[in-house]
Amino acid sequence: MYISTVTGTVTPQECAAIAHASAIRNRRDDVTGLLLFNSRRFLQVLEGPKDAVENIFARIHGDSRHRGVVKLREGMIDTREFGRWAMAYDDPLRPSDSLKDVVAALLASAGPSTRAHFLGSAELHRPTA
Ligand SMILES: Cc1cc2nc3c(=O)[nH]c(=O)nc-3n(C[C@H](O)[C@H](O)[C@H](O)COP(=O)(O)O)c2cc1C
């Protein structure tokens, strides 16, 4: 799991396109996960075989669309936490409550400012009606 900061402007549509292309590429390597974007920062979780995750992370790390990549969590797990999503993208226009709950649990191990940043933006994106 890492966070990074967008360089320039990436629209929610462009982020959805990144998530879609990533899901297709990652599936070949049995890698799943989650990509969140709040117009300024990315948060991504990659789950799968260690070598595959490391190769994909190295590619992502060098991508000029973002900078300041900081790994928040890395380690071996028994069961995928995001298996169901296969690189879900949290659409700010259609927020998913179950996705928010899993993200909140994941962010429990992140720093307080990172947590506040993502959970705060998730709240802002909730429809008021
Ligand atoms: C925030 C962000 C997340 C990305 N996530 C993935 C990913 O999970 N899998 C992937 O293959 N590429 C991902 N990419 C795209 C890669 O950085 C890279 O452009 C893509 O893998 C193609 O690499 P190549 O041109 O070396 O083949 C992501 C890019 C960004 C900006």
Side-chain angles (χ1 to χ4, degrees), residues 5-47:
T5 304
V6 70
T7 22
T9 308
V10 170
T11 63
Q13 287 76 15
E14 285 165 338
C15 186
I18 293 175
H20 182 70
S22 297
I24 292 169
R25 271 195 301 266
N26 293 358
R27 198 172 300 137
R28 286 198 302 249
D29 297 321
D30 195 24
V31 170
T32 52
L34 164 86
L35 180 64
L36 274 183
F37 179 56
N38 69 3
S39 83
R40 201 169 78 82
R41 312 204 76 180
F42 292 103
L43 180 144
Q44 189 172 24
V45 179
L46 296 164
E47 298 181 326

Side-chain angles (χ1 to χ4, degrees), residues 23 49 54 56 93 97 124-125:
E54 283 172 358
I56 290 170
L93 302 175
D97 284 335
L124 283 177
H125 288 138

Side-chain angles (χ1 to χ4, degrees), residues 43-120:
L43 180 144
Q44 189 172 24
V45 179
L46 296 164
E47 298 181 326
K50 187 170 184 286
D51 287 354
V53 168
E54 283 172 358
N55 285 337
I56 290 170
F57 181 72
R59 272 206 319 263
I60 296 170
H61 196 276
D63 195 309
S64 62
R65 288 173 287 187
H66 64 171
R67 62 186 165 78
V69 176
V70 178
K71 252 188 225 175
L72 296 181
R73 207 173 123 185
E74 181 175 29
M76 300 302 288
I77 47 172
D78 291 328
T79 314
R80 290 173 198 246
E81 292 175 42
F82 292 93
R84 280 182 295 151
W85 277 291
M87 197 53 63
Y89 165 64
D90 188 24
D91 184 341
L93 302 175
R94 285 183 296 142
S96 146
D97 284 335
S98 59
L99 184 56
K100 293 274 158 24
D101 290 344
V102 182
V103 171
L106 259 187
L107 289 175
S109 62
S113 68
T114 302
R115 201 163 61 233
H117 196 75
F118 276 95
L119 294 180

